[in-house]
Amino acid sequence: MTEIGGIVPTPEAVSLVKVEKHRNKVAGILCGCRQRIADEMGALLGINVQLVHLEDRVAGREDFKFKEGSHSQIIANLDVVGEIEGRSFLSINLKDAIVIAGRLMLFSDSELRAVVDGEDFNPDIEDAYGEIINIIARIYTAVFEREYTKHIRFIKVGFQQVASITMEPFNDGTIVDRDYYVSSMRLVLGENEFGIIHMFFPVDLLLLENFVETVADAIETNGIQQIMAEQPAIEPAGKRTNNLNDILTVENYHNSNEYDDILLIGDDEVEVEKLKNVLGSRGYGVRVLSFKDNVYDFISGELKAVYLVTREIDEQALGVAIKVNSASSLPIIVAAPGWTRAKVIKAVKYGAKDILLTPAAVEDIEENIANNLTKFAA
């Protein structure tokens, strides 16, 4: 095995590099698909169309809680044939599908408003929307044939209407219960924002079936198993107090109001303070937010990372991870107690790039900074 800087990388680290490289390739392919679909739809509908990228992530049945998918949806089935076979799905808000189809049919504003308000996905609307899906399938086929490692084609094979995308398609068998790589994008027509389009790819179709486990293996290999073995019994979060001996006091770290390099978001005040002081002592500008703050207001191009610091790895904390992941490509580090392999895998699914076991010693925080910030800045 090749040495890097005098250090022999572990098999897990090498595997992680390969998987990340492939995932970046897939992300580039999907980006090309989004742009071509927007361009061709715009030319066909006679209006500027944008598909604003929100997020790409691995998700299983338990993770399908898309707030904006809680309304009626049209799911298009796209069979995949070729060197790899399977079925992908494209989900869109029912009213948005009718808007697109109505524009293609040259409806007047009043006609379009009537069918949208009535949610009338009649056979004519379905045929027109089907033409749009055929174009989308053709574009995915063309881009994947040119850039993907396997020769595959996408073919539209029908539609289903469901009450929501949250759980129903899995309960009624519309979508097979398995892990998917979900690419989400915001539909914009002209100056008007519409709902979110979700494209579901089976993870094995994109050769990403081992992505989550590989990242989890790398995280565990990089120290969590050893840390867990050495960690003393953790006092329940509700009983923890601000022990000044546990907090590094730094008098001269940068004022977070001057600039922001790092966002600390969470509900564990002790660990937030510790992280804030250590990061500040290394010259990073830090802004502290609660889970109730609107994270989108603080995402900027100057940020280097986001730490989610939580007393419990729950839906609230991981929901913030989804928001950060949808708004940026920043590394997300989740700091929390009680890590297990199952929790590591879940955090990775929701966008975490690394974890930190709390209560954290200053040395552990410094090592985490070196792994996630210092080496990339060098």
Side-chain angles (χ1 to χ4, degrees), residues 323-343:
K323 292 179 181 179
V324 174
N325 200 36
S326 70
S328 72
S329 58
L330 292 165
I332 301 170
I333 302 96
V334 181
W339 285 106
T340 63
R341 178 170 178 78
K343 290 181 178 179

Side-chain angles (χ1 to χ4, degrees), residues 43-304:
L44 187 66
L45 301 179
I47 189 174
N48 181 49
V49 175
Q50 297 179 61
L51 294 174
V52 181
H53 179 231
L54 298 178
E55 65 168 335
D56 297 329
R57 68 185 181 97
V58 176
R61 174 178 178 150
E62 71 277 7
D63 305 312
F64 285 97
K65 297 178 182 178
F66 300 121
K67 180 179 179 182
E68 295 205 35
S70 60
H71 303 291
S72 294
Q73 302 277 308
I74 294 295
I75 297 177
N77 306 320
L78 298 172
D79 273 359
V80 179
V81 299
E83 292 186 65
I84 304 177
E85 297 192 346
R87 174 167 288 185
S88 294
F89 305 91
L90 187 145
S91 175
I92 186 174
N93 186 290
L94 170 62
K95 291 186 176 182
D96 295 346
I98 295 173
V99 167
I100 293 172
R103 289 196 64 93
L104 181 61
M105 298 171 70
L106 301 179
F107 281 3
S108 67
D109 289 344
S110 59
E111 289 174 322
L112 185 56
R113 191 177 304 112
V115 292
V116 170
D117 290 344
E119 298 190 355
D120 185 12
F121 198 70
N122 59 54
D124 290 336
I125 293 289
E126 180 176 340
D127 287 344
Y129 182 65
E131 290 303 312
I132 298 293
I133 295 299
N134 282 331
I135 291 172
I136 291 173
R138 175 176 57 78
I139 290 171
Y140 274 114
T141 296
V143 175
F144 271 78
E145 281 186 340
R146 186 178 69 249
E147 300 183 23
Y148 196 45
T149 53
K150 300 291 184 179
H151 183 81
I152 57 177
R153 293 183 295 117
F154 294 80
I155 303 171
K156 184 203 77 178
V157 291
F159 300 103
Q160 287 89 31
Q161 181 176 340
V162 299
S164 73
I165 198 63
T166 52
M167 290 300 289
E168 181 182 340
F170 300 91
N171 293 333
D172 67 12
T174 299
I175 296 179
V176 177
D177 184 11
R178 60 184 302 178
D179 278 353
Y180 289 89
Y181 193 69
V182 185
S183 181
S184 301
M185 52 204 124
R186 171 78 67 184
L187 174 64
V188 181
L189 299 178
E191 302 297 323
N192 299 313
E193 287 192 359
F194 289 80
I196 295 177
I197 299 173
H198 300 291
M199 185 69 181
F200 300 77
F201 301 93
V203 289
D204 55 345
L205 176 68
L206 298 182
L207 306 180
L208 286 168
E209 59 268 37
N210 296 322
F211 172 75
V212 171
E213 288 76 9
T214 302
V215 176
D217 288 341
I219 288 174
E220 288 189 318
T221 301
N222 286 338
I224 186 174
Q225 290 177 326
Q226 180 180 355
I227 293 172
M228 288 295 290
E230 298 174 352
Q231 187 72 17
I234 297 174
E235 187 178 355
K239 296 183 180 180
R240 288 166 61 189
T241 59
N242 287 3
N243 185 342
L244 295 180
N245 292 326
D246 292 336
I247 302 175
L248 175 66
T249 300
V250 179
E251 296 180 356
N252 296 314
Y253 62 83
H254 289 277
N255 188 328
S256 63
N257 292 324
E258 294 178 3
Y259 59 89
D260 298 331
D261 294 314
I262 310 293
L263 290 184
L264 294 181
I265 310 172
D267 59 5
D268 191 330
E269 295 86 356
V270 173
E271 296 304 315
V272 165
E273 187 71 15
K274 241 189 280 187
L275 277 160
K276 176 182 174 183
N277 286 330
V278 176
L279 286 161
S281 72
R282 300 299 177 268
Y284 293 104
V286 179
R287 181 178 294 273
V288 177
L289 303 175
S290 75
F291 285 138
K292 295 181 181 179
D293 290 313
N294 186 351
V295 67
Y296 298 118
D297 292 341
F298 300 93
I299 299 292
S300 73
E302 303 303 316
L303 288 173
K304 296 177 173 61

Side-chain angles (χ1 to χ4, degrees), residues 340-367:
T340 63
R341 178 170 178 78
K343 290 181 178 179
V344 171
I345 289 175
K346 190 167 188 178
V348 171
K349 276 188 176 183
Y350 279 75
K353 296 297 185 292
D354 199 2
I355 65 169
L356 178 65
L357 181 68
T358 60
V362 171
E363 294 77 12
D364 297 331
I365 296 173
E366 289 177 333
E367 182 179 355

